Amino acid sequence: MRRLCLLLCGLALSVVACDDNPTTPTNQAVLRDVTWKLETIERAGSPTITVPNPELYTLILDNNGNVSVRADCNQCTTTYTLDGSSLTVAHLNCTTNFCTLASLDGNYVAGLEGNSSFEISGSHLVIRQGSVTLRFRS
């Protein structure tokens, strides 16, 4: 009986220790109140866009469900929800300044809005929505 108990306890610990889900409540906490800087935008079938000035494309998710975004020369706000590794960002309300022709503000905002999945690994955040992948660093 004691062997069976030890075996079951060992199995229970290995199941807990082998969780492959990279997005845990702890990781959700790490996601919040951090200034994430956009490094790349990837679209299926297109070359990866490397962001020349990541500090101009930022994302902050606060603990109260609010989003603050800097999209080049524009500022955006809205709300968000988290459910496991899913992130839903409501329609972003942005200022409408004309930045430059080379600005990535439209692509960036479009890649954030709506339902996405996310992963955190160390100081990196990856948000995927359909064929668009946004990669950030903190």
Side-chain angles (χ1 to χ4, degrees), residues 35-64:
T35 300
W36 296 102
K37 297 175 184 174
L38 183 65
E39 292 188 313
T40 62
I41 299 174
E42 300 169 17
R43 290 184 173 274
S46 298
T48 297
I49 300 169
T50 301
V51 178
N53 298 310
E55 63 280 353
L56 296 180
Y57 299 90
T58 61
L59 169 67
I60 301 171
L61 304 166
D62 76 12
N63 284 316
N64 299 320

PDB file of all heavy atoms in Angstrom, residues 35-64:
ATOM      1  N   THR A  35       6.528  47.662 -20.087  1.00  0.00           N
ATOM      2  CA  THR A  35       6.552  48.336 -21.381  1.00  0.00           C
ATOM      3  C   THR A  35       7.194  47.380 -22.375  1.00  0.00           C
ATOM      4  O   THR A  35       8.397  47.135 -22.336  1.00  0.00           O
ATOM      5  CB  THR A  35       7.335  49.659 -21.318  1.00  0.00           C
ATOM      6  OG1 THR A  35       6.706  50.515 -20.364  1.00  0.00           O
ATOM      7  CG2 THR A  35       7.366  50.344 -22.680  1.00  0.00           C
ATOM      8  N   TRP A  36       6.349  46.812 -23.242  1.00  0.00           N
ATOM      9  CA  TRP A  36       6.813  45.908 -24.285  1.00  0.00           C
ATOM     10  C   TRP A  36       7.137  46.721 -25.527  1.00  0.00           C
ATOM     11  O   TRP A  36       6.333  47.538 -25.960  1.00  0.00           O
ATOM     12  CB  TRP A  36       5.743  44.863 -24.605  1.00  0.00           C
ATOM     13  CG  TRP A  36       5.450  43.963 -23.451  1.00  0.00           C
ATOM     14  CD1 TRP A  36       4.383  44.028 -22.612  1.00  0.00           C
ATOM     15  CD2 TRP A  36       6.240  42.871 -23.001  1.00  0.00           C
ATOM     16  NE1 TRP A  36       4.454  43.044 -21.665  1.00  0.00           N
ATOM     17  CE2 TRP A  36       5.590  42.310 -21.884  1.00  0.00           C
ATOM     18  CE3 TRP A  36       7.441  42.291 -23.435  1.00  0.00           C
ATOM     19  CZ2 TRP A  36       6.096  41.216 -21.198  1.00  0.00           C
ATOM     20  CZ3 TRP A  36       7.937  41.193 -22.763  1.00  0.00           C
ATOM     21  CH2 TRP A  36       7.269  40.664 -21.655  1.00  0.00           C
ATOM     22  N   LYS A  37       8.315  46.505 -26.106  1.00  0.00           N
ATOM     23  CA  LYS A  37       8.763  47.235 -27.292  1.00  0.00           C
ATOM     24  C   LYS A  37       8.755  46.298 -28.491  1.00  0.00           C
ATOM     25  O   LYS A  37       9.353  45.218 -28.456  1.00  0.00           O
ATOM     26  CB  LYS A  37      10.167  47.791 -27.066  1.00  0.00           C
ATOM     27  CG  LYS A  37      10.214  48.793 -25.934  1.00  0.00           C
ATOM     28  CD  LYS A  37      11.625  49.232 -25.638  1.00  0.00           C
ATOM     29  CE  LYS A  37      11.619  50.158 -24.428  1.00  0.00           C
ATOM     30  NZ  LYS A  37      12.976  50.490 -24.013  1.00  0.00           N
ATOM     31  N   LEU A  38       8.075  46.716 -29.539  1.00  0.00           N
ATOM     32  CA  LEU A  38       7.923  45.901 -30.742  1.00  0.00           C
ATOM     33  C   LEU A  38       9.256  45.772 -31.474  1.00  0.00           C
ATOM     34  O   LEU A  38       9.901  46.768 -31.785  1.00  0.00           O
ATOM     35  CB  LEU A  38       6.876  46.531 -31.670  1.00  0.00           C
ATOM     36  CG  LEU A  38       6.539  45.770 -32.938  1.00  0.00           C
ATOM     37  CD1 LEU A  38       5.868  44.435 -32.613  1.00  0.00           C
ATOM     38  CD2 LEU A  38       5.639  46.624 -33.828  1.00  0.00           C
ATOM     39  N   GLU A  39       9.655  44.522 -31.760  1.00  0.00           N
ATOM     40  CA  GLU A  39      10.893  44.273 -32.498  1.00  0.00           C
ATOM     41  C   GLU A  39      10.645  43.911 -33.955  1.00  0.00           C
ATOM     42  O   GLU A  39      11.357  44.376 -34.834  1.00  0.00           O
ATOM     43  CB  GLU A  39      11.697  43.146 -31.840  1.00  0.00           C
ATOM     44  CG  GLU A  39      12.253  43.529 -30.496  1.00  0.00           C
ATOM     45  CD  GLU A  39      13.195  42.475 -29.950  1.00  0.00           C
ATOM     46  OE1 GLU A  39      12.833  41.273 -29.985  1.00  0.00           O
ATOM     47  OE2 GLU A  39      14.273  42.861 -29.505  1.00  0.00           O
ATOM     48  N   THR A  40       9.631  43.042 -34.188  1.00  0.00           N
ATOM     49  CA  THR A  40       9.357  42.630 -35.559  1.00  0.00           C
ATOM     50  C   THR A  40       7.859  42.436 -35.779  1.00  0.00           C
ATOM     51  O   THR A  40       7.108  42.172 -34.842  1.00  0.00           O
ATOM     52  CB  THR A  40      10.057  41.293 -35.935  1.00  0.00           C
ATOM     53  OG1 THR A  40       9.570  40.252 -35.103  1.00  0.00           O
ATOM     54  CG2 THR A  40      11.568  41.405 -35.842  1.00  0.00           C
ATOM     55  N   ILE A  41       7.469  42.582 -37.042  1.00  0.00           N
ATOM     56  CA  ILE A  41       6.121  42.246 -37.504  1.00  0.00           C
ATOM     57  C   ILE A  41       6.303  41.215 -38.600  1.00  0.00           C
ATOM     58  O   ILE A  41       7.044  41.439 -39.565  1.00  0.00           O
ATOM     59  CB  ILE A  41       5.377  43.475 -38.061  1.00  0.00           C
ATOM     60  CG1 ILE A  41       5.218  44.558 -36.991  1.00  0.00           C
ATOM     61  CG2 ILE A  41       4.020  43.063 -38.637  1.00  0.00           C
ATOM     62  CD1 ILE A  41       4.624  45.866 -37.507  1.00  0.00           C
ATOM     63  N   GLU A  42       5.631  40.079 -38.441  1.00  0.00           N
ATOM     64  CA  GLU A  42       5.714  39.015 -39.442  1.00  0.00           C
ATOM     65  C   GLU A  42       4.320  38.770 -40.003  1.00  0.00           C
ATOM     66  O   GLU A  42       3.356  38.664 -39.259  1.00  0.00           O
ATOM     67  CB  GLU A  42       6.247  37.731 -38.809  1.00  0.00           C
ATOM     68  CG  GLU A  42       7.620  37.894 -38.209  1.00  0.00           C
ATOM     69  CD  GLU A  42       8.036  36.713 -37.342  1.00  0.00           C
ATOM     70  OE1 GLU A  42       7.417  35.632 -37.453  1.00  0.00           O
ATOM     71  OE2 GLU A  42       8.958  36.893 -36.544  1.00  0.00           O
ATOM     72  N   ARG A  43       4.241  38.699 -41.324  1.00  0.00           N
ATOM     73  CA  ARG A  43       2.995  38.371 -42.018  1.00  0.00           C
ATOM     74  C   ARG A  43       3.276  37.191 -42.926  1.00  0.00           C
ATOM     75  O   ARG A  43       4.292  37.185 -43.632  1.00  0.00           O
ATOM     76  CB  ARG A  43       2.504  39.547 -42.856  1.00  0.00           C
ATOM     77  CG  ARG A  43       2.008  40.709 -42.053  1.00  0.00           C
ATOM     78  CD  ARG A  43       1.442  41.772 -43.015  1.00  0.00           C
ATOM     79  NE  ARG A  43       0.803  42.824 -42.277  1.00  0.00           N
ATOM     80  CZ  ARG A  43      -0.450  42.805 -41.857  1.00  0.00           C
ATOM     81  NH1 ARG A  43      -1.220  41.779 -42.107  1.00  0.00           N
ATOM     82  NH2 ARG A  43      -0.957  43.815 -41.185  1.00  0.00           N
ATOM     83  N   ALA A  44       2.386  36.218 -42.916  1.00  0.00           N
ATOM     84  CA  ALA A  44       2.573  35.042 -43.761  1.00  0.00           C
ATOM     85  C   ALA A  44       2.757  35.466 -45.207  1.00  0.00           C
ATOM     86  O   ALA A  44       2.012  36.302 -45.715  1.00  0.00           O
ATOM     87  CB  ALA A  44       1.378  34.105 -43.628  1.00  0.00           C
ATOM     88  N   GLY A  45       3.780  34.933 -45.847  1.00  0.00           N
ATOM     89  CA  GLY A  45       4.025  35.216 -47.257  1.00  0.00           C
ATOM     90  C   GLY A  45       4.745  36.526 -47.520  1.00  0.00           C
ATOM     91  O   GLY A  45       4.947  36.887 -48.672  1.00  0.00           O
ATOM     92  N   SER A  46       5.128  37.256 -46.474  1.00  0.00           N
ATOM     93  CA  SER A  46       5.833  38.530 -46.634  1.00  0.00           C
ATOM     94  C   SER A  46       7.121  38.500 -45.818  1.00  0.00           C
ATOM     95  O   SER A  46       7.212  37.777 -44.828  1.00  0.00           O
ATOM     96  CB  SER A  46       4.974  39.696 -46.136  1.00  0.00           C
ATOM     97  OG  SER A  46       3.788  39.790 -46.882  1.00  0.00           O
ATOM     98  N   PRO A  47       8.097  39.309 -46.228  1.00  0.00           N
ATOM     99  CA  PRO A  47       9.326  39.366 -45.438  1.00  0.00           C
ATOM    100  C   PRO A  47       9.050  39.935 -44.036  1.00  0.00           C
ATOM    101  O   PRO A  47       8.147  40.754 -43.856  1.00  0.00           O
ATOM    102  CB  PRO A  47      10.235  40.310 -46.224  1.00  0.00           C
ATOM    103  CG  PRO A  47       9.596  40.512 -47.550  1.00  0.00           C
ATOM    104  CD  PRO A  47       8.157  40.147 -47.419  1.00  0.00           C
ATOM    105  N   THR A  48       9.830  39.500 -43.072  1.00  0.00           N
ATOM    106  CA  THR A  48       9.731  40.025 -41.714  1.00  0.00           C
ATOM    107  C   THR A  48      10.137  41.491 -41.714  1.00  0.00           C
ATOM    108  O   THR A  48      11.137  41.874 -42.319  1.00  0.00           O
ATOM    109  CB  THR A  48      10.643  39.229 -40.758  1.00  0.00           C
ATOM    110  OG1 THR A  48      10.183  37.884 -40.723  1.00  0.00           O
ATOM    111  CG2 THR A  48      10.646  39.810 -39.363  1.00  0.00           C
ATOM    112  N   ILE A  49       9.348  42.313 -41.031  1.00  0.00           N
ATOM    113  CA  ILE A  49       9.664  43.736 -40.880  1.00  0.00           C
ATOM    114  C   ILE A  49      10.354  43.915 -39.541  1.00  0.00           C
ATOM    115  O   ILE A  49       9.782  43.607 -38.488  1.00  0.00           O
ATOM    116  CB  ILE A  49       8.391  44.600 -40.923  1.00  0.00           C
ATOM    117  CG1 ILE A  49       7.661  44.425 -42.245  1.00  0.00           C
ATOM    118  CG2 ILE A  49       8.730  46.067 -40.657  1.00  0.00           C
ATOM    119  CD1 ILE A  49       6.266  45.028 -42.269  1.00  0.00           C
ATOM    120  N   THR A  50      11.592  44.379 -39.574  1.00  0.00           N
ATOM    121  CA  THR A  50      12.314  44.687 -38.347  1.00  0.00           C
ATOM    122  C   THR A  50      12.052  46.149 -38.011  1.00  0.00           C
ATOM    123  O   THR A  50      12.245  47.028 -38.853  1.00  0.00           O
ATOM    124  CB  THR A  50      13.824  44.439 -38.511  1.00  0.00           C
ATOM    125  OG1 THR A  50      14.007  43.064 -38.853  1.00  0.00           O
ATOM    126  CG2 THR A  50      14.575  44.757 -37.235  1.00  0.00           C
ATOM    127  N   VAL A  51      11.594  46.391 -36.807  1.00  0.00           N
ATOM    128  CA  VAL A  51      11.230  47.748 -36.374  1.00  0.00           C
ATOM    129  C   VAL A  51      12.514  48.509 -36.055  1.00  0.00           C
ATOM    130  O   VAL A  51      13.267  48.106 -35.168  1.00  0.00           O
ATOM    131  CB  VAL A  51      10.294  47.681 -35.149  1.00  0.00           C
ATOM    132  CG1 VAL A  51       9.954  49.074 -34.658  1.00  0.00           C
ATOM    133  CG2 VAL A  51       9.033  46.900 -35.494  1.00  0.00           C
ATOM    134  N   PRO A  52      12.779  49.612 -36.786  1.00  0.00           N
ATOM    135  CA  PRO A  52      14.034  50.339 -36.572  1.00  0.00           C
ATOM    136  C   PRO A  52      14.109  51.048 -35.215  1.00  0.00           C
ATOM    137  O   PRO A  52      15.195  51.193 -34.666  1.00  0.00           O
ATOM    138  CB  PRO A  52      14.079  51.339 -37.723  1.00  0.00           C
ATOM    139  CG  PRO A  52      12.681  51.454 -38.210  1.00  0.00           C
ATOM    140  CD  PRO A  52      11.988  50.175 -37.865  1.00  0.00           C
ATOM    141  N   ASN A  53      12.985  51.482 -34.677  1.00  0.00           N
ATOM    142  CA  ASN A  53      12.955  52.201 -33.394  1.00  0.00           C
ATOM    143  C   ASN A  53      11.893  51.577 -32.494  1.00  0.00           C
ATOM    144  O   ASN A  53      10.779  52.097 -32.388  1.00  0.00           O
ATOM    145  CB  ASN A  53      12.638  53.688 -33.611  1.00  0.00           C
ATOM    146  CG  ASN A  53      13.700  54.376 -34.438  1.00  0.00           C
ATOM    147  OD1 ASN A  53      14.878  54.264 -34.153  1.00  0.00           O
ATOM    148  ND2 ASN A  53      13.273  55.077 -35.476  1.00  0.00           N
ATOM    149  N   PRO A  54      12.213  50.466 -31.821  1.00  0.00           N
ATOM    150  CA  PRO A  54      11.216  49.782 -30.991  1.00  0.00           C
ATOM    151  C   PRO A  54      10.576  50.663 -29.920  1.00  0.00           C
ATOM    152  O   PRO A  54       9.425  50.440 -29.554  1.00  0.00           O
ATOM    153  CB  PRO A  54      12.005  48.633 -30.358  1.00  0.00           C
ATOM    154  CG  PRO A  54      13.128  48.383 -31.304  1.00  0.00           C
ATOM    155  CD  PRO A  54      13.478  49.736 -31.852  1.00  0.00           C
ATOM    156  N   GLU A  55      11.275  51.679 -29.452  1.00  0.00           N
ATOM    157  CA  GLU A  55      10.706  52.557 -28.422  1.00  0.00           C
ATOM    158  C   GLU A  55       9.543  53.401 -28.949  1.00  0.00           C
ATOM    159  O   GLU A  55       8.784  53.980 -28.174  1.00  0.00           O
ATOM    160  CB  GLU A  55      11.783  53.450 -27.797  1.00  0.00           C
ATOM    161  CG  GLU A  55      12.440  54.412 -28.750  1.00  0.00           C
ATOM    162  CD  GLU A  55      13.542  53.805 -29.628  1.00  0.00           C
ATOM    163  OE1 GLU A  55      13.922  52.637 -29.438  1.00  0.00           O
ATOM    164  OE2 GLU A  55      14.007  54.527 -30.525  1.00  0.00           O
ATOM    165  N   LEU A  56       9.354  53.434 -30.279  1.00  0.00           N
ATOM    166  CA  LEU A  56       8.223  54.155 -30.876  1.00  0.00           C
ATOM    167  C   LEU A  56       6.979  53.275 -31.026  1.00  0.00           C
ATOM    168  O   LEU A  56       5.917  53.767 -31.419  1.00  0.00           O
ATOM    169  CB  LEU A  56       8.606  54.715 -32.250  1.00  0.00           C
ATOM    170  CG  LEU A  56       9.704  55.769 -32.271  1.00  0.00           C
ATOM    171  CD1 LEU A  56       9.982  56.222 -33.703  1.00  0.00           C
ATOM    172  CD2 LEU A  56       9.350  56.953 -31.393  1.00  0.00           C
ATOM    173  N   TYR A  57       7.125  51.981 -30.720  1.00  0.00           N
ATOM    174  CA  TYR A  57       6.019  51.035 -30.852  1.00  0.00           C
ATOM    175  C   TYR A  57       5.947  50.205 -29.567  1.00  0.00           C
ATOM    176  O   TYR A  57       6.599  49.169 -29.446  1.00  0.00           O
ATOM    177  CB  TYR A  57       6.220  50.130 -32.075  1.00  0.00           C
ATOM    178  CG  TYR A  57       6.261  50.928 -33.355  1.00  0.00           C
ATOM    179  CD1 TYR A  57       7.464  51.430 -33.845  1.00  0.00           C
ATOM    180  CD2 TYR A  57       5.092  51.203 -34.035  1.00  0.00           C
ATOM    181  CE1 TYR A  57       7.491  52.179 -35.005  1.00  0.00           C
ATOM    182  CE2 TYR A  57       5.119  51.957 -35.201  1.00  0.00           C
ATOM    183  CZ  TYR A  57       6.323  52.449 -35.675  1.00  0.00           C
ATOM    184  OH  TYR A  57       6.347  53.198 -36.823  1.00  0.00           O
ATOM    185  N   THR A  58       5.181  50.699 -28.615  1.00  0.00           N
ATOM    186  CA  THR A  58       5.145  50.053 -27.309  1.00  0.00           C
ATOM    187  C   THR A  58       3.736  49.585 -26.963  1.00  0.00           C
ATOM    188  O   THR A  58       2.747  50.045 -27.534  1.00  0.00           O
ATOM    189  CB  THR A  58       5.657  50.993 -26.203  1.00  0.00           C
ATOM    190  OG1 THR A  58       4.821  52.148 -26.138  1.00  0.00           O
ATOM    191  CG2 THR A  58       7.103  51.406 -26.459  1.00  0.00           C
ATOM    192  N   LEU A  59       3.685  48.688 -25.992  1.00  0.00           N
ATOM    193  CA  LEU A  59       2.441  48.108 -25.500  1.00  0.00           C
ATOM    194  C   LEU A  59       2.550  47.972 -23.993  1.00  0.00           C
ATOM    195  O   LEU A  59       3.528  47.426 -23.494  1.00  0.00           O
ATOM    196  CB  LEU A  59       2.234  46.726 -26.133  1.00  0.00           C
ATOM    197  CG  LEU A  59       1.125  45.841 -25.564  1.00  0.00           C
ATOM    198  CD1 LEU A  59      -0.246  46.443 -25.861  1.00  0.00           C
ATOM    199  CD2 LEU A  59       1.230  44.431 -26.123  1.00  0.00           C
ATOM    200  N   ILE A  60       1.544  48.485 -23.271  1.00  0.00           N
ATOM    201  CA  ILE A  60       1.468  48.309 -21.825  1.00  0.00           C
ATOM    202  C   ILE A  60       0.063  47.823 -21.497  1.00  0.00           C
ATOM    203  O   ILE A  60      -0.928  48.458 -21.859  1.00  0.00           O
ATOM    204  CB  ILE A  60       1.750  49.618 -21.064  1.00  0.00           C
ATOM    205  CG1 ILE A  60       3.131  50.156 -21.395  1.00  0.00           C
ATOM    206  CG2 ILE A  60       1.596  49.395 -19.549  1.00  0.00           C
ATOM    207  CD1 ILE A  60       3.410  51.549 -20.847  1.00  0.00           C
ATOM    208  N   LEU A  61      -0.008  46.680 -20.814  1.00  0.00           N
ATOM    209  CA  LEU A  61      -1.269  46.119 -20.322  1.00  0.00           C
ATOM    210  C   LEU A  61      -1.252  46.300 -18.810  1.00  0.00           C
ATOM    211  O   LEU A  61      -0.398  45.722 -18.136  1.00  0.00           O
ATOM    212  CB  LEU A  61      -1.370  44.635 -20.671  1.00  0.00           C
ATOM    213  CG  LEU A  61      -1.219  44.298 -22.157  1.00  0.00           C
ATOM    214  CD1 LEU A  61      -1.000  42.817 -22.357  1.00  0.00           C
ATOM    215  CD2 LEU A  61      -2.441  44.754 -22.913  1.00  0.00           C
ATOM    216  N   ASP A  62      -2.160  47.109 -18.258  1.00  0.00           N
ATOM    217  CA  ASP A  62      -2.123  47.337 -16.816  1.00  0.00           C
ATOM    218  C   ASP A  62      -2.955  46.296 -16.068  1.00  0.00           C
ATOM    219  O   ASP A  62      -3.635  45.463 -16.666  1.00  0.00           O
ATOM    220  CB  ASP A  62      -2.503  48.772 -16.450  1.00  0.00           C
ATOM    221  CG  ASP A  62      -3.984  49.090 -16.533  1.00  0.00           C
ATOM    222  OD1 ASP A  62      -4.812  48.165 -16.650  1.00  0.00           O
ATOM    223  OD2 ASP A  62      -4.323  50.287 -16.475  1.00  0.00           O
ATOM    224  N   ASN A  63      -2.888  46.329 -14.755  1.00  0.00           N
ATOM    225  CA  ASN A  63      -3.592  45.358 -13.916  1.00  0.00           C
ATOM    226  C   ASN A  63      -5.104  45.563 -13.891  1.00  0.00           C
ATOM    227  O   ASN A  63      -5.834  44.718 -13.384  1.00  0.00           O
ATOM    228  CB  ASN A  63      -3.050  45.393 -12.492  1.00  0.00           C
ATOM    229  CG  ASN A  63      -1.710  44.693 -12.403  1.00  0.00           C
ATOM    230  OD1 ASN A  63      -1.523  43.624 -12.967  1.00  0.00           O
ATOM    231  ND2 ASN A  63      -0.772  45.295 -11.706  1.00  0.00           N
ATOM    232  N   ASN A  64      -5.587  46.690 -14.402  1.00  0.00           N
ATOM    233  CA  ASN A  64      -7.018  46.999 -14.389  1.00  0.00           C
ATOM    234  C   ASN A  64      -7.717  46.707 -15.705  1.00  0.00           C
ATOM    235  O   ASN A  64      -8.865  47.097 -15.900  1.00  0.00           O
ATOM    236  CB  ASN A  64      -7.229  48.467 -14.007  1.00  0.00           C
ATOM    237  CG  ASN A  64      -6.704  48.769 -12.631  1.00  0.00           C
ATOM    238  OD1 ASN A  64      -6.862  47.972 -11.714  1.00  0.00           O
ATOM    239  ND2 ASN A  64      -6.037  49.906 -12.482  1.00  0.00           N
TER     240      ASN A  64
END
